[in-house]
PDB file of all heavy atoms in Angstrom:
ATOM      1  N   VAL A   5       0.868  12.219  -0.804  1.00 96.00           N
ATOM      2  CA  VAL A   5       0.388  13.519  -0.365  1.00 96.00           C
ATOM      3  C   VAL A   5       1.114  14.593  -1.148  1.00 96.00           C
ATOM      4  O   VAL A   5       2.344  14.723  -1.055  1.00 96.00           O
ATOM      5  CB  VAL A   5       0.606  13.729   1.145  1.00 96.00           C
ATOM      6  CG1 VAL A   5       0.114  15.115   1.553  1.00 96.00           C
ATOM      7  CG2 VAL A   5      -0.102  12.644   1.949  1.00 96.00           C
ATOM      8  N   GLU A   6       0.341  15.367  -1.921  1.00 96.00           N
ATOM      9  CA  GLU A   6       0.929  16.440  -2.719  1.00 96.00           C
ATOM     10  C   GLU A   6       0.934  17.748  -1.941  1.00 96.00           C
ATOM     11  O   GLU A   6       0.123  17.965  -1.043  1.00 96.00           O
ATOM     12  CB  GLU A   6       0.138  16.664  -4.026  1.00 96.00           C
ATOM     13  CG  GLU A   6       0.015  15.456  -4.928  1.00 96.00           C
ATOM     14  CD  GLU A   6      -1.329  14.795  -4.798  1.00 96.00           C
ATOM     15  OE1 GLU A   6      -1.927  14.910  -3.705  1.00 96.00           O
ATOM     16  OE2 GLU A   6      -1.792  14.172  -5.772  1.00 96.00           O
ATOM     17  N   SER A   7       1.827  18.626  -2.351  1.00 95.00           N
ATOM     18  CA  SER A   7       1.874  19.977  -1.809  1.00 95.00           C
ATOM     19  C   SER A   7       2.520  20.884  -2.844  1.00 95.00           C
ATOM     20  O   SER A   7       3.131  20.403  -3.807  1.00 95.00           O
ATOM     21  CB  SER A   7       2.657  20.012  -0.498  1.00 95.00           C
ATOM     22  OG  SER A   7       3.993  19.600  -0.708  1.00 95.00           O
ATOM     23  N   VAL A  12      -0.238  31.624  -9.481  1.00 98.00           N
ATOM     24  CA  VAL A  12       0.964  32.244 -10.028  1.00 98.00           C
ATOM     25  C   VAL A  12       0.594  32.958 -11.318  1.00 98.00           C
ATOM     26  O   VAL A  12      -0.354  32.568 -12.006  1.00 98.00           O
ATOM     27  CB  VAL A  12       2.057  31.171 -10.269  1.00 98.00           C
ATOM     28  CG1 VAL A  12       1.620  30.176 -11.332  1.00 98.00           C
ATOM     29  CG2 VAL A  12       3.387  31.797 -10.626  1.00 98.00           C
ATOM     30  N   GLY A  15       3.986  32.913 -16.930  1.00 97.00           N
ATOM     31  CA  GLY A  15       5.424  33.082 -17.016  1.00 97.00           C
ATOM     32  C   GLY A  15       6.164  32.726 -15.742  1.00 97.00           C
ATOM     33  O   GLY A  15       7.399  32.625 -15.742  1.00 97.00           O
ATOM     34  N   SER A  17       6.726  30.370 -12.022  1.00 98.00           N
ATOM     35  CA  SER A  17       7.122  28.992 -11.728  1.00 98.00           C
ATOM     36  C   SER A  17       6.469  28.506 -10.449  1.00 98.00           C
ATOM     37  O   SER A  17       6.151  29.296  -9.550  1.00 98.00           O
ATOM     38  CB  SER A  17       8.643  28.894 -11.568  1.00 98.00           C
ATOM     39  OG  SER A  17       9.318  29.271 -12.744  1.00 98.00           O
ATOM     40  N   SER A  25       4.428   7.166   1.193  1.00 92.00           N
ATOM     41  CA  SER A  25       4.702   6.237   2.286  1.00 92.00           C
ATOM     42  C   SER A  25       5.212   4.928   1.700  1.00 92.00           C
ATOM     43  O   SER A  25       5.175   4.706   0.499  1.00 92.00           O
ATOM     44  CB  SER A  25       3.427   5.981   3.085  1.00 92.00           C
ATOM     45  OG  SER A  25       2.481   5.327   2.261  1.00 92.00           O
ATOM     46  N   GLY A  26       5.681   4.045   2.537  1.00 78.00           N
ATOM     47  CA  GLY A  26       6.108   2.746   2.054  1.00 78.00           C
ATOM     48  C   GLY A  26       7.615   2.602   2.053  1.00 78.00           C
ATOM     49  O   GLY A  26       8.346   3.588   1.987  1.00 78.00           O
ATOM     50  N   PHE A  29       9.859   2.371  -2.228  1.00 89.00           N
ATOM     51  CA  PHE A  29       9.564   3.488  -3.124  1.00 89.00           C
ATOM     52  C   PHE A  29      10.223   3.313  -4.478  1.00 89.00           C
ATOM     53  O   PHE A  29       9.638   3.636  -5.514  1.00 89.00           O
ATOM     54  CB  PHE A  29      10.028   4.781  -2.460  1.00 89.00           C
ATOM     55  CG  PHE A  29       9.723   6.024  -3.238  1.00 89.00           C
ATOM     56  CD1 PHE A  29       8.432   6.458  -3.427  1.00 89.00           C
ATOM     57  CD2 PHE A  29      10.763   6.778  -3.782  1.00 89.00           C
ATOM     58  CE1 PHE A  29       8.148   7.614  -4.144  1.00 89.00           C
ATOM     59  CE2 PHE A  29      10.496   7.937  -4.499  1.00 89.00           C
ATOM     60  CZ  PHE A  29       9.184   8.355  -4.682  1.00 89.00           C
ATOM     61  N   TYR A  32       8.486   1.664  -7.570  1.00 94.00           N
ATOM     62  CA  TYR A  32       7.326   2.295  -8.177  1.00 94.00           C
ATOM     63  C   TYR A  32       7.749   3.378  -9.169  1.00 94.00           C
ATOM     64  O   TYR A  32       8.669   4.158  -8.895  1.00 94.00           O
ATOM     65  CB  TYR A  32       6.438   2.934  -7.112  1.00 94.00           C
ATOM     66  CG  TYR A  32       5.748   1.926  -6.218  1.00 94.00           C
ATOM     67  CD1 TYR A  32       6.397   1.399  -5.105  1.00 94.00           C
ATOM     68  CD2 TYR A  32       4.446   1.507  -6.490  1.00 94.00           C
ATOM     69  CE1 TYR A  32       5.775   0.473  -4.298  1.00 94.00           C
ATOM     70  CE2 TYR A  32       3.817   0.585  -5.682  1.00 94.00           C
ATOM     71  CZ  TYR A  32       4.482   0.070  -4.588  1.00 94.00           C
ATOM     72  OH  TYR A  32       3.859  -0.844  -3.782  1.00 94.00           O
ATOM     73  N   GLY A  35       4.312   9.235 -11.270  1.00 97.00           N
ATOM     74  CA  GLY A  35       3.841  10.114 -12.335  1.00 97.00           C
ATOM     75  C   GLY A  35       3.091  11.318 -11.803  1.00 97.00           C
ATOM     76  O   GLY A  35       2.641  11.337 -10.658  1.00 97.00           O
ATOM     77  N   PRO A  41     -10.979  21.801 -15.274  1.00 94.00           N
ATOM     78  CA  PRO A  41     -12.445  21.702 -15.243  1.00 94.00           C
ATOM     79  C   PRO A  41     -13.020  21.377 -16.613  1.00 94.00           C
ATOM     80  O   PRO A  41     -12.649  22.000 -17.612  1.00 94.00           O
ATOM     81  CB  PRO A  41     -12.871  23.092 -14.774  1.00 94.00           C
ATOM     82  CG  PRO A  41     -11.711  23.596 -14.001  1.00 94.00           C
ATOM     83  CD  PRO A  41     -10.498  23.050 -14.695  1.00 94.00           C
ATOM     84  N   PHE A  47      -1.951  12.932 -18.742  1.00 97.00           N
ATOM     85  CA  PHE A  47      -0.609  12.622 -18.298  1.00 97.00           C
ATOM     86  C   PHE A  47       0.286  13.843 -18.446  1.00 97.00           C
ATOM     87  O   PHE A  47       0.210  14.562 -19.446  1.00 97.00           O
ATOM     88  CB  PHE A  47      -0.062  11.457 -19.126  1.00 97.00           C
ATOM     89  CG  PHE A  47       1.407  11.213 -18.980  1.00 97.00           C
ATOM     90  CD1 PHE A  47       1.907  10.565 -17.873  1.00 97.00           C
ATOM     91  CD2 PHE A  47       2.283  11.624 -19.966  1.00 97.00           C
ATOM     92  CE1 PHE A  47       3.263  10.337 -17.743  1.00 97.00           C
ATOM     93  CE2 PHE A  47       3.634  11.408 -19.855  1.00 97.00           C
ATOM     94  CZ  PHE A  47       4.133  10.759 -18.743  1.00 97.00           C
ATOM     95  N   ARG A  72      12.916  12.562  -8.666  1.00 96.00           N
ATOM     96  CA  ARG A  72      12.584  11.782  -7.477  1.00 96.00           C
ATOM     97  C   ARG A  72      13.795  11.665  -6.561  1.00 96.00           C
ATOM     98  O   ARG A  72      14.938  11.720  -7.021  1.00 96.00           O
ATOM     99  CB  ARG A  72      12.079  10.389  -7.861  1.00 96.00           C
ATOM    100  CG  ARG A  72      13.099   9.481  -8.504  1.00 96.00           C
ATOM    101  CD  ARG A  72      12.428   8.203  -9.023  1.00 96.00           C
ATOM    102  NE  ARG A  72      11.891   7.397  -7.939  1.00 96.00           N
ATOM    103  CZ  ARG A  72      10.871   6.544  -8.094  1.00 96.00           C
ATOM    104  NH1 ARG A  72      10.297   6.401  -9.280  1.00 96.00           N
ATOM    105  NH2 ARG A  72      10.445   5.833  -7.066  1.00 96.00           N
ATOM    106  N   ASP A  73      13.502  11.504  -5.289  1.00 94.00           N
ATOM    107  CA  ASP A  73      14.541  11.283  -4.297  1.00 94.00           C
ATOM    108  C   ASP A  73      14.151  10.000  -3.567  1.00 94.00           C
ATOM    109  O   ASP A  73      13.281  10.023  -2.692  1.00 94.00           O
ATOM    110  CB  ASP A  73      14.630  12.479  -3.336  1.00 94.00           C
ATOM    111  CG  ASP A  73      15.772  12.348  -2.347  1.00 94.00           C
ATOM    112  OD1 ASP A  73      16.187  11.212  -2.050  1.00 94.00           O
ATOM    113  OD2 ASP A  73      16.232  13.394  -1.856  1.00 94.00           O
ATOM    114  N   ASN A  74      14.770   8.905  -3.927  1.00 91.00           N
ATOM    115  CA  ASN A  74      14.396   7.623  -3.346  1.00 91.00           C
ATOM    116  C   ASN A  74      14.755   7.525  -1.868  1.00 91.00           C
ATOM    117  O   ASN A  74      14.150   6.755  -1.124  1.00 91.00           O
ATOM    118  CB  ASN A  74      15.039   6.474  -4.112  1.00 91.00           C
ATOM    119  CG  ASN A  74      14.397   6.253  -5.476  1.00 91.00           C
ATOM    120  OD1 ASN A  74      13.277   6.705  -5.736  1.00 91.00           O
ATOM    121  ND2 ASN A  74      15.112   5.573  -6.356  1.00 91.00           N
ATOM    122  N   LYS A  76      14.335   9.931   0.244  1.00 93.00           N
ATOM    123  CA  LYS A  76      13.323  10.685   0.989  1.00 93.00           C
ATOM    124  C   LYS A  76      11.900  10.290   0.611  1.00 93.00           C
ATOM    125  O   LYS A  76      10.948  10.833   1.155  1.00 93.00           O
ATOM    126  CB  LYS A  76      13.520  12.178   0.771  1.00 93.00           C
ATOM    127  CG  LYS A  76      14.834  12.723   1.302  1.00 93.00           C
ATOM    128  CD  LYS A  76      14.943  14.229   1.084  1.00 93.00           C
ATOM    129  CE  LYS A  76      16.237  14.769   1.656  1.00 93.00           C
ATOM    130  NZ  LYS A  76      16.363  16.244   1.444  1.00 93.00           N
ATOM    131  N   GLU A  89      -3.270  27.939 -19.516  1.00 96.00           N
ATOM    132  CA  GLU A  89      -3.804  26.612 -19.840  1.00 96.00           C
ATOM    133  C   GLU A  89      -3.177  25.499 -19.004  1.00 96.00           C
ATOM    134  O   GLU A  89      -3.600  24.348 -19.090  1.00 96.00           O
ATOM    135  CB  GLU A  89      -3.630  26.304 -21.332  1.00 96.00           C
ATOM    136  CG  GLU A  89      -2.232  26.518 -21.859  1.00 96.00           C
ATOM    137  CD  GLU A  89      -2.055  27.886 -22.510  1.00 96.00           C
ATOM    138  OE1 GLU A  89      -2.564  28.885 -21.958  1.00 96.00           O
ATOM    139  OE2 GLU A  89      -1.376  27.946 -23.573  1.00 96.00           O
ATOM    140  N   SER A  91      -3.408  25.645 -15.835  1.00 98.00           N
ATOM    141  CA  SER A  91      -4.252  25.632 -14.645  1.00 98.00           C
ATOM    142  C   SER A  91      -5.029  24.324 -14.571  1.00 98.00           C
ATOM    143  O   SER A  91      -5.684  23.923 -15.535  1.00 98.00           O
ATOM    144  CB  SER A  91      -5.231  26.805 -14.671  1.00 98.00           C
ATOM    145  OG  SER A  91      -4.549  28.036 -14.632  1.00 98.00           O
ATOM    146  N   ALA A  98       1.245   6.629  -8.444  1.00 96.00           N
ATOM    147  CA  ALA A  98       2.300   5.615  -8.376  1.00 96.00           C
ATOM    148  C   ALA A  98       1.803   4.300  -8.967  1.00 96.00           C
ATOM    149  O   ALA A  98       0.625   3.957  -8.843  1.00 96.00           O
ATOM    150  CB  ALA A  98       2.732   5.395  -6.930  1.00 96.00           C
ATOM    151  N   TYR A 106      -1.757   2.800 -12.863  1.00 96.00           N
ATOM    152  CA  TYR A 106      -1.491   3.589 -11.672  1.00 96.00           C
ATOM    153  C   TYR A 106      -2.571   3.266 -10.632  1.00 96.00           C
ATOM    154  O   TYR A 106      -3.740   3.598 -10.807  1.00 96.00           O
ATOM    155  CB  TYR A 106      -1.501   5.076 -12.004  1.00 96.00           C
ATOM    156  CG  TYR A 106      -0.282   5.534 -12.748  1.00 96.00           C
ATOM    157  CD1 TYR A 106      -0.228   5.506 -14.143  1.00 96.00           C
ATOM    158  CD2 TYR A 106       0.841   5.980 -12.060  1.00 96.00           C
ATOM    159  CE1 TYR A 106       0.906   5.912 -14.819  1.00 96.00           C
ATOM    160  CE2 TYR A 106       1.986   6.402 -12.741  1.00 96.00           C
ATOM    161  CZ  TYR A 106       2.008   6.356 -14.111  1.00 96.00           C
ATOM    162  OH  TYR A 106       3.132   6.758 -14.784  1.00 96.00           O
ATOM    163  N   ASN A 107      -2.159   2.608  -9.577  1.00 94.00           N
ATOM    164  CA  ASN A 107      -3.107   2.167  -8.556  1.00 94.00           C
ATOM    165  C   ASN A 107      -3.239   3.133  -7.390  1.00 94.00           C
ATOM    166  O   ASN A 107      -4.193   3.044  -6.626  1.00 94.00           O
ATOM    167  CB  ASN A 107      -2.677   0.802  -7.994  1.00 94.00           C
ATOM    168  CG  ASN A 107      -2.724  -0.298  -9.045  1.00 94.00           C
ATOM    169  OD1 ASN A 107      -1.694  -0.751  -9.508  1.00 94.00           O
ATOM    170  ND2 ASN A 107      -3.917  -0.692  -9.426  1.00 94.00           N
ATOM    171  N   TRP A 109      -3.091   7.117  -5.890  1.00 97.00           N
ATOM    172  CA  TRP A 109      -3.256   8.516  -6.261  1.00 97.00           C
ATOM    173  C   TRP A 109      -3.283   9.397  -5.030  1.00 97.00           C
ATOM    174  O   TRP A 109      -3.814   9.009  -3.975  1.00 97.00           O
ATOM    175  CB  TRP A 109      -4.565   8.700  -7.037  1.00 97.00           C
ATOM    176  CG  TRP A 109      -4.568   8.004  -8.354  1.00 97.00           C
ATOM    177  CD1 TRP A 109      -4.851   6.686  -8.589  1.00 97.00           C
ATOM    178  CD2 TRP A 109      -4.243   8.574  -9.620  1.00 97.00           C
ATOM    179  NE1 TRP A 109      -4.723   6.413  -9.927  1.00 97.00           N
ATOM    180  CE2 TRP A 109      -4.356   7.546 -10.589  1.00 97.00           C
ATOM    181  CE3 TRP A 109      -3.863   9.851 -10.032  1.00 97.00           C
ATOM    182  CZ2 TRP A 109      -4.101   7.771 -11.946  1.00 97.00           C
ATOM    183  CZ3 TRP A 109      -3.615  10.066 -11.385  1.00 97.00           C
ATOM    184  CH2 TRP A 109      -3.738   9.034 -12.320  1.00 97.00           C
ATOM    185  N   THR A 113      -3.528  18.758  -5.952  1.00 97.00           N
ATOM    186  CA  THR A 113      -3.221  20.113  -5.512  1.00 97.00           C
ATOM    187  C   THR A 113      -3.536  21.070  -6.661  1.00 97.00           C
ATOM    188  O   THR A 113      -3.214  20.798  -7.817  1.00 97.00           O
ATOM    189  CB  THR A 113      -1.749  20.235  -5.060  1.00 97.00           C
ATOM    190  OG1 THR A 113      -1.518  21.539  -4.524  1.00 97.00           O
ATOM    191  CG2 THR A 113      -0.775  19.985  -6.195  1.00 97.00           C
ATOM    192  N   GLN A 114      -4.186  22.175  -6.329  1.00 98.00           N
ATOM    193  CA  GLN A 114      -4.658  23.116  -7.348  1.00 98.00           C
ATOM    194  C   GLN A 114      -3.531  24.041  -7.792  1.00 98.00           C
ATOM    195  O   GLN A 114      -2.823  24.627  -6.968  1.00 98.00           O
ATOM    196  CB  GLN A 114      -5.811  23.954  -6.796  1.00 98.00           C
ATOM    197  CG  GLN A 114      -6.339  25.009  -7.752  1.00 98.00           C
ATOM    198  CD  GLN A 114      -7.095  24.405  -8.922  1.00 98.00           C
ATOM    199  OE1 GLN A 114      -7.965  23.560  -8.739  1.00 98.00           O
ATOM    200  NE2 GLN A 114      -6.773  24.861 -10.142  1.00 98.00           N
ATOM    201  N   VAL A 115      -3.408  24.161  -9.099  1.00 98.00           N
ATOM    202  CA  VAL A 115      -2.488  25.132  -9.699  1.00 98.00           C
ATOM    203  C   VAL A 115      -3.329  26.069 -10.558  1.00 98.00           C
ATOM    204  O   VAL A 115      -4.067  25.619 -11.439  1.00 98.00           O
ATOM    205  CB  VAL A 115      -1.416  24.435 -10.554  1.00 98.00           C
ATOM    206  CG1 VAL A 115      -0.621  25.468 -11.353  1.00 98.00           C
ATOM    207  CG2 VAL A 115      -0.493  23.603  -9.675  1.00 98.00           C
ATOM    208  N   SER A 118      -2.662  32.800 -13.678  1.00 97.00           N
ATOM    209  CA  SER A 118      -3.431  33.956 -14.136  1.00 97.00           C
ATOM    210  C   SER A 118      -2.745  34.627 -15.314  1.00 97.00           C
ATOM    211  O   SER A 118      -1.514  34.635 -15.420  1.00 97.00           O
ATOM    212  CB  SER A 118      -3.602  34.944 -12.988  1.00 97.00           C
ATOM    213  OG  SER A 118      -2.344  35.448 -12.588  1.00 97.00           O
ATOM    214  N   SER A 119      -3.546  35.190 -16.181  1.00 93.00           N
ATOM    215  CA  SER A 119      -2.991  35.844 -17.381  1.00 93.00           C
ATOM    216  C   SER A 119      -2.682  37.315 -17.113  1.00 93.00           C
ATOM    217  O   SER A 119      -3.027  37.858 -16.082  1.00 93.00           O
ATOM    218  CB  SER A 119      -3.983  35.721 -18.533  1.00 93.00           C
ATOM    219  OG  SER A 119      -5.219  36.287 -18.169  1.00 93.00           O
TER     220      SER A 119
END
Side-chain angles (χ1 to χ4, degrees):
V5 179
E6 302 101 332
S7 61
V12 65
S17 299
S25 65
F29 183 68
Y32 291 84
F47 168 78
R72 67 188 295 154
D73 184 334
N74 287 342
K76 296 182 178 180
E89 51 264 42
S91 297
Y106 286 89
N107 296 107
W109 294 83
T113 185
Q114 177 71 49
V115 170
S118 64
S119 57

